[in-house]
Amino acid sequence: NSEITACSRCPRLVTWREHVAREKRAAFRNWDYWGKPVPGFGDSRARLVVLGLAPAAHGANRTGRVFTGDRSGDWLFRAMHRAGFANQAVAAHCDDGLVLSDAYVSSAVRCAPPQNRPSTEERDNCRPYLVRELALLDRAAVYIALGGWALSQLAVHENLRPRPKFSHGAEIELSNGRTLLCSYHPSQQNTFTKRLTEKMFDNVFTRAKELLSILT
């Protein structure tokens, strides 16, 4: 995590994340923005790993904690709370008391990208951090990929051939009895249009819990 937060490999992302941190959004003008790469967060002995795309400019890039401070995070941690993986449904800032149990949340790219679209080079620059992170999370038995981008990164990591196609609710068997689940990302683009509903999202985390209970 110390290496991640000190990273400056991608000039475009460094420029953007720091620009956002200086200019701020009017609603957060009194905030001291994080404005750096955002590490993963959760239980270091987690059996569930949730992977997203990248920090939001005025979400995790502001708060310094992945999926915290924006509506995507509101959806994610509410679902995790309902499934018993989080002690509370609220994720507002780093000192809000949120604790994850048996779960860890991370992102494929650690800096907020313009238009939420990292480049292929930026993705590849960040991949070694994900590889090392997943190696340290050696108890992980279930992965949830939030969106096609996260699925593609986990597919590369697991050397899946042929590469699986993304679909919400897809369940992919991995080696050593592990499972990869797919969900639409809880972005406003998906939640406002009802492409992703809270029931659909809950079903994914319920399935994750069922799979973990089999391993207990």
Side-chain angles (χ1 to χ4, degrees):
N1 284 349
S2 296
E3 290 185 33
I4 289 170
T5 57
C7 185
S8 58
R9 292 181 182 179
C10 304
R12 186 181 78 114
L13 298 189
V14 171
T15 298
W16 174 249
R17 77 192 189 207
E18 293 179 355
H19 168 76
V20 171
R22 287 193 307 271
E23 297 297 321
K24 305 182 181 180
R25 179 174 283 173
F28 305 123
R29 61 184 177 275
N30 295 324
W31 273 78
D32 183 12
Y33 272 53
W34 172 254
K36 294 182 286 188
V38 179
F41 167 75
D43 187 344
S44 62
R45 292 181 55 78
R47 294 182 301 155
L48 172 66
V49 174
V50 181
L51 187 68
L53 170 58
H58 300 282
N61 188 58
R62 171 174 58 90
T63 65
R65 191 174 70 195
V66 64
F67 272 104
T68 297
D70 60 29
R71 289 180 176 172
S72 294
D74 293 343
W75 270 67
L76 175 62
F77 291 117
R78 281 201 305 266
M80 295 185 74
H81 177 62
R82 289 190 292 265
F85 292 110
N87 69 323
Q88 62 188 43
V90 176
H93 54 82
C94 285
D95 298 318
D96 59 15
L98 178 65
V99 176
L100 302 186
S101 299
D102 206 16
Y104 192 91
V105 179
S106 192
S107 57
V109 174
R110 309 308 173 110
C111 293
Q115 289 79 52
N116 204 33
R117 292 182 180 275
S119 69
T120 300
E121 181 181 4
E122 290 159 354
R123 175 203 67 192
D124 292 345
N125 283 344
C126 239
R127 184 176 291 143
Y129 294 131
L130 179 61
V131 170
R132 290 170 60 191
E133 193 169 52
L134 293 178
L136 290 168
L137 295 165
D138 57 1
R139 297 185 76 240
V142 177
Y143 302 91
I144 296 178
L146 300 179
W149 187 290
L151 172 61
S152 70
Q153 296 312 290
L154 288 169
V156 169
H157 182 264
E158 296 292 328
N159 196 29
L160 298 179
R161 294 287 190 276
R163 295 285 172 80
K165 292 184 178 180
F166 176 84
S167 64
H168 180 82
E171 191 167 319
I172 302 161
E173 293 184 7
L174 304 176
S175 61
N176 300 323
R178 296 169 301 137
T179 303
L180 170 56
L181 303 176
C182 298
S183 171
Y184 288 129
H185 191 286
S187 65
Q188 293 182 58
Q189 179 182 352
N190 290 327
T191 59
F192 279 12
T193 60
K194 304 299 183 182
R195 189 182 193 190
L196 177 67
T197 65
E198 290 201 289
K199 181 176 175 55
M200 291 168 63
F201 210 30
D202 283 344
N203 287 343
V204 174
F205 283 93
T206 297
R207 180 55 179 157
K209 197 168 185 178
E210 290 172 352
L211 291 167
L212 292 175
S213 70
I214 294 171
L215 299 172
T216 301

